[in-house]
Amino acid sequence: MVRKQYAVIGLGRFGSSVATYLAKMGYEVLAVDESEERVQDIAHQVTHAVSADSTDEEALKALGIRNFDVVVVAIGQDIQSSILTTLILKDLGVPNIIVKAQNELHGKVLNKIGADKVVFPERDMGLRVAHHLISPNILEHIELSPEYSIVEMKIPSEMIGRNLKQLDIRARYNCNVLAVKRNEQMNITPRADESLEPGDILVIVGRNDQLTKLEQAYAEA
């Protein structure tokens, strides 16, 4: 099976992190940035690292960018360069373009010009930190849409020994328990009458406002 090839354009903190993690997982990674210094810093951690202007179509063609399965545009504060780079990649026929957005307006523009996925790393990290501050039991928060999310919630002390039927999370908070994780094992069909144990993790889906109520209800000081 042929493994996907990735290119990451923009080697700030986010771009460098994506590129190095992909490389550690065994994928071929091309890292691109205008800064020669940033390119040198990451050169030994990825397959190829090149200094180039991503708003120069000929430069991207010379890199063979259209041959990569996924291109991540992680350009920092220069929104104009981010948009122009995305347009060029779209015109060159890159099959999957993932772009970092600075704000909602930037994200809307990227969606309109054909980005396959727009990510908001600063906003998403802020969201996760905020949820952790509300309830330290929240281990993970994944936004499915502006209205719905999935959370992984380590059960607080008051849930220990109780079962899902007694907790009645669906009726009380209009959220659904998808699974129970115990000792690294995922049970996607948990019995309603099985008592929860210390260290158990609930995987719950619901509307964001209802999940917040659930988190606040079980927040531990």
Side-chain angles (χ1 to χ4, degrees):
M1 181 178 176
V2 178
R3 305 202 82 181
K4 284 185 177 180
Q5 295 179 312
Y6 294 85
V8 178
I9 299 174
L11 300 177
R13 272 185 283 185
F14 174 69
S16 295
S17 178
V18 172
T20 53
Y21 274 113
L22 286 170
K24 285 178 182 177
M25 289 187 284
Y27 291 97
E28 182 173 331
V29 180
L30 168 67
V32 182
D33 197 285
E34 277 193 295
S35 167
E36 185 67 42
E37 182 179 353
R38 287 181 173 178
V39 168
Q40 290 300 322
D41 286 343
I42 204 172
H44 65 288
Q45 300 178 66
V46 297
T47 316
H48 305 286
V50 179
S51 176
D53 178 3
S54 64
T55 64
D56 183 341
E57 184 172 352
E58 293 305 315
L60 291 182
K61 283 181 179 178
L63 292 174
I65 204 76
R66 69 181 72 187
N67 299 320
F68 286 82
D69 301 290
V70 181
V71 177
V72 179
V73 181
I75 294 171
Q77 299 297 320
D78 192 342
I79 292 177
Q80 182 175 331
S81 293
S82 166
I83 293 170
L84 185 53
T85 299
T86 303
L87 279 170
I88 293 172
L89 294 172
K90 197 70 181 175
D91 287 343
L92 291 176
V94 174
N96 196 352
I97 305 169
I98 300 171
V99 192
K100 170 188 173 181
Q102 294 297 321
N103 51 52
E104 295 293 337
L105 180 59
H106 184 198
K108 286 181 180 179
V109 173
L110 293 169
N111 280 316
K112 285 186 179 296
I113 64 176
D116 297 286
K117 183 174 178 61
V118 176
V119 296
F120 299 84
E122 286 88 358
R123 183 199 69 182
D124 293 345
M125 181 55 70
L127 182 67
R128 288 176 180 175
V129 170
H131 279 278
H132 184 71
L133 291 173
I134 292 171
S135 174
N137 297 307
I138 300 301
L139 304 177
E140 185 62 88
H141 184 283
I142 302 169
E143 192 175 84
L144 301 176
S145 74
E147 292 84 27
Y148 291 90
S149 296
I150 291 176
V151 298
E152 286 190 356
M153 178 181 181
K154 183 176 69 175
I155 66 165
S157 57
E158 56 262 46
M159 284 189 181
I160 296 172
R162 303 181 71 187
N163 58 45
L164 296 179
K165 185 176 182 180
Q166 292 170 326
L167 293 173
D168 209 8
I169 289 173
R170 183 171 185 176
R172 294 175 65 191
Y173 302 101
N174 201 27
C175 298
N176 291 315
V177 177
L178 300 178
V180 177
K181 291 172 69 174
R182 178 176 297 163
N183 300 323
E184 302 301 320
Q185 298 296 314
M186 180 79 78
N187 179 6
I188 61 172
T189 55
R191 297 202 330 266
D193 61 351
E194 183 177 354
S195 295
L196 296 173
E197 300 178 1
D200 282 355
I201 296 170
L202 302 182
V203 182
I204 307 168
V205 64
R207 289 182 60 90
N208 292 329
D209 55 346
Q210 295 298 317
L211 286 169
T212 298
K213 288 181 181 178
L214 172 64
E215 293 169 22
Q216 290 174 333
Y218 287 102
E220 294 185 335

